[in-house]
Amino acid sequence: METNSYSTVPVTQTAAPVLKRASLVRRHRGLVFALLSILLLLFSLTMAFHAFVAYTLARPHIDPLKSNPMKAFGAAYENVQFPSLNDSSQLSGWYIPAAATAATASETSRQTIVFSHGYGGNREEIWVPIYDLAKAVHNLGYNVLMFDYGYVQPQWNVTGGLRESHELLGAVQYAKDRGAEKVFVWGFSMGAGTALQAALQTKDIDGMILDSTFVLEPDTLYHNMKQTAHLPEFSQPLVHMFFPLINGVSLNQIPYQTVKETQYSMPIFFIHGKQDLKAPYEMAEGIYQQQKSDSGSQLWLLEGDGHELIYRAHKRAYLQMTTGFLQTLSSTPSAPVKYGSSR
């Protein structure tokens, strides 16, 4: 009878090292998977956060209208609607005919001031406040047009001046259609930057007053992001990347470099504070320096004032200088004249 002889080794002596290695591999794989999951989550949250920033930048909260020219300073007005120059949007506003009793009505009643409000505001521009300025020019005999940019409506978003410049040109055309022989634009913050973009495309603007000029470019975008959310520098290209994906318009389409280098055909009165934390004063100063010395342009640069706060701090001087600038241009039938340029 045959017998099979097997050499038996205890299982524990051969399998233990293999099981230990398998356990270590599983543990390492679990750690790697967990680490990759955490990194993926952080990456996704970072991307989502910057996408949200791009979304909210283009859709600021807008307060409803709180008053009107009749309630604010007793001026008769009309509710008006008009299209942007390229018919891309329909705009609403108030048209205030010139005060018939103004001493200069015969000269200025055929001239219109178009107010260009800033980012996050509407035609009332409460930061300035605009009713004081509208009253002042109305009493001097000018017609006044106050209107809302398209992004005030919920179906539209901010485009950094691309669509808004056509909307401002639509307002200028509306003033012309109402009989204005001269049109002056008075802009604030991004509304001032929009005015500069609009002025690249027309000869129908006869002069501009630009308070706290903000031109949307990568540097100013990051400047504002840093002020409000303390975001790191790598946030700038991420928001820049998401902006067109979410809002349908690229910041590269904004002609900010052209705006900064152009010699404009009309006189411009730049007003800016050196303590402006939203729109660095160096940009307005640089654009002013591009203007010809005999262009009639002027720069009023204040040492201690912030964004759109100059009127509140210097009401009398602000009104004297701005209305004086307008009246100088109003009395000039042809080419721009010199007006106190300090270089």
Side-chain angles (χ1 to χ4, degrees):
M1 183 175 95
E2 294 183 2
T3 59
N4 294 328
S5 60
Y6 299 95
S7 60
T8 59
V9 179
V11 173
T12 55
Q13 294 181 12
T14 58
V18 175
L19 292 174
K20 186 176 182 180
R21 284 196 298 271
S23 176
L24 288 173
V25 169
R26 283 195 299 270
R27 187 180 303 172
H28 289 161
R29 284 178 179 172
L31 290 174
V32 170
F33 180 78
L35 180 60
L36 289 176
S37 298
I38 292 171
L39 291 175
L40 181 60
L41 177 61
L42 291 175
F43 176 80
S44 299
L45 290 174
T46 300
M47 294 297 103
F49 171 75
H50 287 91
F52 176 74
V53 170
Y55 179 88
T56 54
L57 280 173
R59 293 164 181 82
H61 170 76
I62 309 292
D63 288 334
L65 295 173
K66 294 180 172 61
S67 187
N68 61 56
M70 176 59 73
K71 291 179 181 178
F73 59 96
Y77 70 96
E78 305 170 26
N79 290 307
V80 299
Q81 290 191 328
F82 54 88
S84 62
L85 194 64
N86 62 358
D87 289 318
S88 64
S89 52
Q90 191 73 14
L91 310 166
S92 300
W94 295 320
Y95 182 79
I96 309 170
T101 57
T104 56
S106 60
E107 216 173 89
T108 58
S109 62
R110 296 182 301 278
Q111 303 179 27
T112 300
I113 311 293
V114 177
F115 285 106
S116 174
H117 70 77
Y119 172 85
N122 55 34
R123 71 187 82 165
E124 291 184 304
E125 189 67 45
I126 59 175
W127 294 281
V128 176
I130 203 170
Y131 282 123
D132 288 3
L133 307 182
K135 178 182 178 180
V137 294
H138 172 68
N139 289 339
L140 288 174
Y142 293 94
N143 305 296
V144 176
L145 179 58
M146 305 166 67
F147 76 100
D148 294 333
Y149 279 109
Y151 63 78
V152 171
Q153 305 171 41
Q155 68 268 31
W156 295 108
N157 56 274
V158 175
T159 67
L162 291 173
R163 189 185 63 249
E164 292 85 357
S165 62
H166 289 283
E167 293 171 343
L168 179 55
L169 291 173
V172 171
Q173 185 59 52
Y174 179 83
K176 289 281 188 180
D177 292 342
R178 293 291 298 255
E181 296 176 1
K182 288 186 177 181
V183 178
F184 307 107
V185 173
W186 198 329
F188 309 91
S189 189
M190 189 177 287
T194 295
L196 288 169
Q197 289 190 49
L200 296 173
Q201 308 170 57
T202 186
K203 300 294 183 182
D204 287 337
I205 299 174
D206 297 282
M208 299 193 294
I209 299 173
L210 305 182
D211 184 330
S212 305
T213 303
F214 179 96
V215 177
L216 187 59
E217 64 170 352
D219 289 343
T220 54
L221 175 63
Y222 176 63
H223 180 81
N224 279 267
M225 288 163 44
K226 185 171 60 175
Q227 297 295 331
T228 57
H230 305 289
L231 296 178
E233 194 166 352
F234 70 80
S235 291
Q236 177 184 323
L238 290 177
V239 173
H240 200 277
M241 176 187 71
F242 278 115
F243 205 90
L245 297 175
I246 293 175
N247 301 313
V249 58
S250 172
L251 298 179
N252 291 329
Q253 296 173 260
I254 300 172
Y256 54 84
Q257 199 61 41
T258 303
V259 164
K260 293 192 294 184
E261 297 174 353
T262 295
Q263 287 186 344
Y264 289 91
S265 61
M266 73 289 292
I268 306 173
F269 184 13
F270 295 95
I271 303 171
H272 218 102
K274 283 192 173 182
Q275 301 306 312
D276 194 324
L277 298 180
K278 295 184 178 180
Y281 76 89
E282 291 89 350
M283 178 176 289
E285 188 176 40
I287 298 172
Y288 167 70
Q289 294 293 343
Q290 292 293 323
Q291 309 313 305
K292 294 180 180 179
S293 59
D294 61 350
S295 67
S297 293
Q298 182 182 2
L299 172 66
W300 186 23
L301 193 59
L302 295 101
E303 293 290 333
D305 294 272
H307 194 70
E308 290 190 274
L309 298 176
I310 296 169
Y311 171 74
R312 292 179 182 272
H314 312 277
K315 290 185 178 181
R316 178 174 293 184
Y318 190 104
L319 286 175
Q320 286 178 343
M321 296 183 73
T322 52
T323 58
F325 179 78
L326 288 170
Q327 288 180 296
T328 300
L329 301 183
S330 298
S331 62
T332 306
S334 55
V337 298
K338 295 182 180 180
Y339 180 78
S341 296
S342 56
R343 293 182 178 272

